[in-house]
Amino acid sequence: MNMPASKFEGAMPLVSAQVASTPATIVPIGIKRPSMSSRALALLAGFAARVIPPVVVIALCLILWEVLCSKPGASLPPPSRVLEETWELIVDPFYDRGGIDKGLFWHLLASLQRVTLGYTLAIIAGVALGTLVGQSVWAMRGLDPLFQVLRTVPPLAWLPLSLAAFRDGQPSAIFVIFITAIWPIIINTAVGIRNIPTDYRNVAAVLRLNQLEFFWKIMIPAAAPYIFTGLRIGIGLSWLAIVAAEMLIGGVGIGFFIWDAWNSSRISEIILALIYVGLIGFMLDRLVAGIGHLATRGTASA
Amino acid sequence: MASSFLSIEHVCKSFARGQSTTQVLRDINLSIVRGEYVSIIGHSGCGKSTLLNLIAGLTKITTGGIILENKEVNEPGPDRAVVFQNHSLLPWLTTYQNVKLAVDKVFSQSKSRAERHAWTMHNLELVQMVHAKDKLPAEISGGMKQRVGIARALAMEPKVLLLDEPFGALDALTRAHLQDSVMQIHARLGNTVIMITHDVDEAVLLSDRIVMMTNGPSATIGEILDVPLQRPRKRLELSSDPTYLRSREAVMRFLYERHRAPALQAA
């Protein structure tokens, strides 16, 4: 108890003496402009801080996987064997031997094309319907119950029905993407439109903006953060649904690639495909989030 | 009556909610001449904002009428530009774009592209906001946002400028600064201004006349006070001016003696 107190007393006069001796001079604190090399070093340190943890975690997972699956009688291949067996697919994703015997690039491209088409249609219809429901109380009363029920129908449950309607795999898969992605887009757009502050409506009224100007200049930008939330959920769901839908419709596409690999017991290829599906899903999500961030000038969460 | 610029005649406003109807404003009569600066003051809930919305055309009148330059007001329009209490700038547009939106809409026919740009810049200059023309509303202070809001309203060249507690959300220093700016602009452009306020000093400092509202429901104009102070008015000199003090006292007496806030009466 005594020690700190005495130390404190000792320090006090020293401080006051210093203050008294230099009453009004501003003492420059030694802020050095960081040199180029030290700045580069700081940048590198920041980069390392973000990259090292995931690398370590992935490495640990791979080691665990390797250990667990290297035992004799293991049902799944260890990563070393996956790499060995799929090396050809990894180094040459662009080969095309006709039919469905194509490189992974072509499978992924086919899937992405379906998603792009279905998702684009979902954006157009979803934003339009969401705007309608958000704007009109009667449209909401009429349509909302329908939406609430339909949106809970699992994507794949639509597939037989769409196959019956379209009599072809391609439009059916696109329809499944469309019907999967549209609900979050509708619902979020409607919420965004409904939440447009009265102030913005008043501004539009004072300026006498017509319906079209109001839609483009006030409604869409004001609801944009909400719309992009819906779009982000939508793209995630689309990518989830495409793999499942393609498994059933066949043809070129990553979903059928996985199903085909399973039927031929090429487990390593399934694992490789899953990694690609995950990476592309992640990239799609970041892409939509990035566009949202740009389009809303940072008001949508990226 | 016919000579007045803006006249509010026997205006009543009731809001219906289900079966019950509440009368907010009762028999409001007021006529305003061109270039006049009129403040409307009253306790909260007296319907002063409703009155402003009626003049703006944002709310429908129940009975009576408002006539601006011999034309009845029944919908909103840029001839009655509003500066909203919380600035209501569009957050996705820069300050320049916010003003430009109004300019583009109002002068789409009458001004060329270059003229619209020049007019936008002119109005930003008027409120001393040119330096922040490329900033988003989120990047500037509350006082600056309100300046841009004023620039946007002025840019519409309104017949009447409606200010809805424009300085209410600002700190005292910013508020004083902005009041001075508004006085300068009013002196320079000579617009007709109707301002809602609950600040007695603000009302006396800025207005030619102060309209004092009784308490709601069924609020009406209790009294109208002329403020015969010379312009330009200087804040510091006025603080001891007898006319200023007398006007101030008259408003205070009205608000705190004869028409105390309902909550105060209960206490």
Side-chain angles (χ1 to χ4, degrees):
Chain A
M1 279 301 272
N2 275 335
M3 277 289 280
S6 63
K7 237 169 130 182
F8 200 69
E9 280 162 29
M12 281 299 275
L14 201 74
V15 173
S16 57
Q18 263 181 343
V19 169
S21 65
T22 54
T25 36
I26 297 162
V27 182
I29 309 167
I31 303 171
K32 285 184 200 150
R33 295 208 91 217
S35 65
M36 277 300 272
S37 63
S38 73
R39 253 197 305 183
L41 213 67
L43 219 68
L44 202 72
F47 181 71
R50 242 168 290 160
V51 168
I52 290 174
V55 167
V56 169
V57 170
I58 291 169
L60 284 175
C61 287
L62 285 174
I63 291 167
L64 188 69
W65 177 12
E66 183 75 43
V67 169
L68 287 177
C69 293
S70 294
K71 283 188 227 153
S75 53
L76 294 176
S80 56
R81 216 170 82 214
V82 170
L83 196 69
E84 190 186 312
E85 286 178 359
T86 59
W87 187 248
E88 251 177 80
L89 285 170
I90 295 171
V91 293
D92 186 14
F94 300 110
Y95 76 86
D96 187 351
R97 294 187 201 112
I100 57 161
D101 192 6
K102 292 177 199 283
L104 273 169
F105 172 81
W106 302 110
H107 287 288
L108 288 165
L109 187 70
S111 300
L112 278 172
Q113 276 169 346
R114 291 191 185 106
V115 166
T116 308
L117 202 56
Y119 181 65
T120 308
L121 292 174
I123 293 176
I124 297 166
V127 171
L129 278 171
T131 306
L132 180 72
V133 170
Q135 257 306 70
S136 146
V137 180
W138 285 105
M140 192 196 74
R141 286 182 193 159
L143 290 169
D144 196 56
L146 198 66
F147 291 166
Q148 295 303 337
V149 172
L150 289 183
R151 78 187 176 95
T152 63
V153 175
L156 273 194
W158 290 100
L159 191 61
L161 193 66
S162 54
L163 278 170
F166 295 113
R167 296 170 193 281
D168 186 16
Q170 184 72 0
S172 304
I174 292 166
F175 176 77
V176 168
I177 300 306
F178 169 82
I179 206 76
T180 309
I182 197 169
W183 308 117
I185 299 177
I186 292 179
I187 289 165
N188 281 283
T189 304
V191 170
I193 299 284
R194 226 171 289 151
N195 284 349
I196 294 175
T198 322
D199 282 339
Y200 301 170
R201 292 183 188 276
N202 284 344
V203 169
V206 168
L207 284 174
R208 289 212 185 117
L209 296 183
N210 60 38
Q211 287 289 316
L212 203 67
E213 286 169 325
F214 182 66
F215 180 76
W216 283 115
K217 295 196 167 149
I218 309 281
M219 235 192 227
I220 291 294
Y226 291 89
I227 295 175
F228 273 100
T229 304
L231 292 184
R232 245 183 114 178
I233 301 171
I235 194 73
L237 292 180
S238 303
W239 194 239
L240 290 182
I242 189 68
V243 174
E246 284 175 346
M247 282 184 176
L248 294 172
I249 62 159
V252 178
I254 195 69
F256 188 69
F257 176 87
I258 293 172
W259 193 244
D260 191 42
W262 158 243
N263 282 333
S264 328
S265 301
R266 298 192 302 265
I267 307 298
S268 297
E269 290 183 10
I270 298 178
I271 291 168
L272 179 69
L274 291 192
I275 291 168
Y276 278 135
V277 168
L279 288 176
I280 289 186
F282 173 74
M283 281 190 273
L284 288 176
D285 181 65
R286 297 316 304 174
L287 182 72
V288 174
I291 293 170
H293 191 75
L294 282 180
T296 60
R297 300 204 177 184
T299 46
S301 56
Chain B
M1 213 57 177
S3 66
S4 74
F5 182 59
L6 174 78
S7 84
I8 302 170
E9 289 168 16
H10 305 292
V11 164
C12 297
K13 177 65 195 175
S14 309
F15 287 106
R17 177 175 281 174
Q19 295 297 314
S20 67
T21 334
T22 331
Q23 191 178 44
V24 179
L25 294 172
R26 169 175 55 87
D27 200 30
I28 305 279
N29 287 290
L30 180 66
S31 78
I32 293 170
V33 296
R34 192 190 292 270
E36 198 175 14
Y37 198 121
V38 175
S39 290
I40 299 172
I41 197 166
H43 294 291
S44 8
C46 74
K48 51 191 194 293
S49 279
T50 308
L51 180 57
L52 194 88
N53 282 341
L54 291 175
I55 301 171
L58 292 167
T59 311
K60 287 261 175 282
I61 300 167
T62 308
T63 59
I66 296 176
I67 293 153
L68 174 64
E69 274 198 327
N70 304 320
K71 271 168 80 181
E72 190 173 0
V73 165
N74 44 25
E75 57 169 1
D79 56 343
R80 283 153 286 124
V82 187
V83 175
F84 297 95
Q85 184 174 7
N86 43 358
H87 68 79
S88 46
L89 299 177
L90 304 176
W92 56 88
L93 298 179
T94 63
T95 58
Y96 172 83
Q97 288 167 332
N98 263 290
V99 180
K100 187 83 184 319
L101 177 73
V103 173
D104 280 347
K105 180 63 190 167
V106 177
F107 300 104
S108 59
Q109 309 292 321
S110 52
K111 279 186 179 11
S112 74
R113 208 181 168 76
E115 280 172 337
R116 291 202 296 265
H117 167 76
W119 181 243
T120 305
M121 292 306 286
H122 170 79
N123 280 284
L124 281 172
E125 218 166 278
L126 215 55
V127 295
Q128 297 143 40
M129 283 302 295
V130 174
H131 64 281
K133 74 180 178 67
D134 295 321
K135 289 236 162 59
L136 292 175
E139 297 165 344
I140 57 178
S141 70
M144 288 160 106
K145 283 180 208 165
Q146 205 51 277
R147 280 174 187 276
V148 179
I150 292 170
R152 178 173 65 184
L154 287 173
M156 299 178 209
E157 277 195 330
K159 290 175 184 162
V160 186
L161 184 62
L162 303 172
L163 308 177
D164 187 3
E165 294 192 32
F167 317 120
L170 305 175
D171 64 90
L173 284 174
T174 313
R175 185 187 305 185
H177 200 57
L178 214 53
Q179 285 165 351
D180 289 343
S181 290
V182 167
M183 272 198 287
Q184 280 165 18
I185 291 167
H186 180 241
R188 194 167 149 188
L189 305 178
N191 355 43
T192 312
V193 184
I194 300 176
M195 178 177 78
I196 302 290
T197 182
H198 52 236
D199 181 329
V200 179
D201 288 293
E202 180 173 288
V204 178
L205 177 68
L206 295 173
S207 322
D208 298 314
R209 279 194 297 159
I210 301 173
V211 173
M212 293 174 267
M213 306 274 293
T214 64
N215 287 321
S218 296
T220 189
I221 295 175
E223 202 176 302
I224 298 177
L225 180 79
D226 279 305
V227 185
L229 286 167
Q230 287 298 309
R231 289 181 189 270
R233 297 172 181 173
K234 293 264 162 45
R235 182 183 302 275
L236 275 176
E237 291 163 17
L238 284 180
S239 58
S240 55
D241 185 295
T243 318
Y244 177 85
L245 293 174
R246 217 170 28 240
S247 306
R248 194 172 177 280
E249 198 198 338
V251 181
M252 297 283 262
R253 277 198 191 287
F254 179 90
L255 287 178
Y256 301 110
E257 221 171 67
R258 285 188 282 145
H259 295 277
R260 289 170 38 147
L264 291 174
Q265 270 169 350

